[in-house]
């Protein structure tokens, strides 16, 4: 790669100091998300472990509440695939197809967020143990999906500009949040539904 | 067993973190130098070139 010292292209000064603000933004967003991961993990583990509740207290005996998270996560994965498809069109500058897929994606993300919101309310009213573990984690997942939907709306708004510089800068960085949200949703499902919180508590060394 | 599960989980977490970071960096870089500087000359001139327009 030829290193060029560009001092102004038609008044637009591009001074290349080998600093890539967008790569820094990607890393910064990811480090923030990593911090959120550790906060959530410590929060859940400490609540399960330090409170020392009997693992059987974490059992959910509600068909809807045990099944709906699976459907919700499936929809979340579909949402993730949609933004990846949008990213393929984004890389090829096919803006019309990009906007169409983004419109589908925003519907999917909003639907996921709404289901998550309803789940959050149901978990809050179930039992004290469920309220301590499932409620806060579903709150975090709802927050992430809601923020993702807002980020997609912003990306769609930027994509409507004739000058694509803003969407070019914004979309790759927002992609970190979308992919993280999908991963977080899958991990929460694995931790709370596939493995039960009770099994997790037993894994922490608590016995019935 | 518990230690293996923990190590595997940590490894997967770091691996996915690096993969996504790589992907989004690629997504950023794919647009670099394309449409970002509309006023830029179509033939880039190296500062050490004899100004013939040839990219050395």
């Amino acid at each position: 790669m030829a290193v060029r010292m560009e001092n102004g292209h038609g008044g637009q000064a591009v001074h290349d100091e080998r600093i890539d603000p967008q790569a820094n933004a990607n890393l910064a967003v990811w480090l923030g998300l990593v911090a959120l991961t550790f906060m959530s993990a410590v929060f859940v583990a400490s609540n399960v472990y330090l409170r020392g509740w009997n693992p059987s207290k974490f059992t959910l005996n509600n068909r809807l509440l045990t099944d709906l998270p699976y459907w919700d996560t499936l929809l979340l994965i579909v949402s993730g695939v949609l933004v990846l498809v949008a990213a393929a069109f984004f890389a090829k500058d096919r803006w019309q197809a990009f906007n169409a897929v983004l419109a589908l994606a925003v519907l999917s993300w909003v639907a996921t967020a709404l289901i998550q919101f309803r789940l959050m309310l149901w978990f809050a009213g179930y039992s004290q143990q469920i309220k301590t573990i499932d409620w806060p984690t579903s709150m975090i997942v709802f927050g992430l999906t809601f923020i993702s939907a807002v980020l997609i709306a912003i990306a769609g708004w930027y994509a409507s500009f004739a000058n694509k510089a803003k969407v070019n800068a914004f979309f790759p960085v927002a992609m970190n949040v979308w992919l993280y949200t999908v991963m977080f949703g899958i991990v929460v499902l694995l931790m709370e539904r596939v493995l039960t919180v009770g099994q997790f508590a037993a894994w922490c060394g608590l016995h019935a | 067993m518990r230690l293996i599960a923990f190590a595997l989980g940590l490894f997967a977490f770091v691996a996915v973190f690096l993969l996504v970071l790589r992907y989004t960096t690629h997504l950023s870089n794919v647009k670099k130098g394309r449409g970002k500087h509309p006023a830029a000359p179509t033939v880039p001139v190296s500062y050490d070139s004899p100004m013939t327009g040839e990219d050395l």
Side-chain angles (χ1 to χ4, degrees), chain A residues 50-125:
Chain A
L50 294 177
R51 287 182 188 243
W53 274 319
N54 189 320
S56 64
K57 296 245 183 198
F58 295 105
T59 314
L60 261 178
N61 287 320
N62 185 317
R63 187 73 199 276
L64 183 71
L65 286 186
T66 44
D67 284 358
L68 199 56
Y70 283 95
W71 292 108
D72 188 54
T73 309
L74 190 68
L75 198 60
L76 190 64
I77 293 170
V78 170
S79 313
V81 171
L82 280 176
V83 288
L84 285 175
V85 172
F89 288 127
F90 168 82
K92 289 178 186 156
D93 279 337
R94 292 175 57 188
W95 295 110
Q96 224 165 6
F98 172 78
N99 283 336
V101 177
L102 214 61
L104 279 178
V106 82
L107 288 178
S108 177
W109 280 100
V110 167
T112 315
L114 286 177
I115 297 175
Q116 201 62 50
F117 185 74
R118 200 68 194 91
L119 273 175
M120 186 176 84
L121 297 185
W122 275 325
F123 283 143

Side-chain angles (χ1 to χ4, degrees), chain A residues 2-5 9-10 12 14 20 22 26-27 30-31 34 37-38 84 87 90-91 93 95 168 171-172 175-176 179 183 203-205, chain B residues 1-2 5-6 10 13 16-17 20-21 23-25 27-32 34-41 44-47 55-56:
Chain A
V3 179
R4 281 179 281 133
M5 286 309 212
H9 283 313
Q12 226 186 0
V14 182
D20 184 353
Q22 209 173 5
N26 279 330
L27 187 62
W30 253 105
L31 292 180
V34 168
T37 307
F38 280 98
L84 285 175
F90 168 82
D93 279 337
W95 295 110
N168 284 350
F171 188 81
M175 184 59 100
N176 291 304
L179 293 183
M183 281 156 39
W203 189 81
C204 285
Chain B
M1 188 59 208
R2 206 182 288 185
F6 181 75
L10 196 66
F13 180 78
V16 168
F17 160 63
V20 174
L21 196 56
Y23 173 66
T24 49
T25 308
L27 215 56
S28 308
N29 287 339
V30 88
K31 292 300 183 98
K32 295 275 159 68
R34 176 149 52 102
K36 212 182 169 194
H37 314 299
V45 182
S46 293
Y47 69 93
D55 198 10
L56 298 179

